[in-house]
Amino acid sequence: MKIMETLDRINRPSKVEQKVALESYDSLAAVIEQLHAEQTEIEIEETKDKIIVPLRALKLFGGILKAMSEGKPISIVPLATEVTTQKAAEILGCSRPHLVKLLEEGKIQYTKVGKHRRILFEDVIEYKKRMKDEQKKRLIDIMNFDEDLGLYDS
């Protein structure tokens, strides 16, 4: 599957999916705590097929269920995958020209393939995380400032 196809399919889970994921996550998390081997066998109840999976994959599946239960969009993307400027802008929720400006200011690393810029997916996500952390810090600073002025009841 191509990276663009994967990213295009990112959408939030429905309320029904959230509910099922929450119930499944709680059960799976309890089972995972009891496992100690590097791999385990699981059974698909509908088909009675038994599948051996690495414990790490089962834990990843648990993380997916947890995120789905919280209503978070999920997509598994291989690291070191490159995205276009348009796709990176969509991920960040900004315009492509603004993203190009960020690239040229050195705020996000990129490479050029001919005339086209390519950005590592993980660099886009890292930048998004930095911006969210900065926003959170600024909000806390504003709240503290308002509190110091007596404008904010805690």
Side-chain angles (χ1 to χ4, degrees), residues 27-40:
S27 299
L28 182 60
V31 169
I32 287 175
E33 283 184 29
Q34 299 172 28
L35 300 175
H36 302 291
E38 289 298 311
Q39 59 188 31
T40 190

Side-chain angles (χ1 to χ4, degrees), residues 88-120:
E90 289 172 15
I91 293 167
L92 294 176
C94 66
S95 68
R96 196 189 67 74
H98 179 72
L99 177 85
V100 170
K101 181 181 171 193
L102 294 173
L103 297 176
E104 292 179 357
E105 289 175 349
K107 295 186 178 175
I108 305 173
Q109 302 243 351
Y110 70 97
T111 57
K112 273 193 135 179
V113 179
K115 293 193 275 183
H116 302 282
R117 295 174 185 89
R118 295 289 182 259
I119 308 115
L120 288 177

Side-chain angles (χ1 to χ4, degrees), residues 73-91:
I74 298 296
S75 180
I76 297 177
V77 179
L79 292 180
T81 298
E82 292 182 334
V83 295
T84 64
T85 53
Q86 182 61 46
K87 187 52 67 177
E90 289 172 15
I91 293 167

Side-chain angles (χ1 to χ4, degrees), residues 5-105:
E5 292 171 9
T6 302
L7 290 174
D8 286 338
R9 290 194 215 165
I10 296 175
N11 55 10
R12 294 194 180 282
S14 68
K15 293 291 181 190
V16 171
E17 289 171 330
Q18 282 181 257
K19 183 176 185 264
V20 171
L22 178 61
E23 293 166 0
S24 301
Y25 171 72
D26 290 340
S27 299
L28 182 60
V31 169
I32 287 175
E33 283 184 29
Q34 299 172 28
L35 300 175
H36 302 291
E38 289 298 311
Q39 59 188 31
T40 190
E41 185 175 75
I42 61 173
E43 182 177 343
I44 307 299
E45 189 173 317
E46 289 178 16
T47 63
K48 302 297 181 214
D49 288 325
K50 294 182 180 183
I51 304 166
I52 296 175
V53 296
L55 180 57
R56 189 168 158 196
L58 207 51
K59 287 179 179 179
L60 177 61
F61 182 56
I64 292 168
L65 290 174
K66 184 173 187 329
M68 280 186 79
S69 73
E70 296 167 353
K72 295 178 181 174
I74 298 296
S75 180
I76 297 177
V77 179
L79 292 180
T81 298
E82 292 182 334
V83 295
T84 64
T85 53
Q86 182 61 46
K87 187 52 67 177
E90 289 172 15
I91 293 167
L92 294 176
C94 66
S95 68
R96 196 189 67 74
H98 179 72
L99 177 85
V100 170
K101 181 181 171 193
L102 294 173
L103 297 176
E104 292 179 357
E105 289 175 349

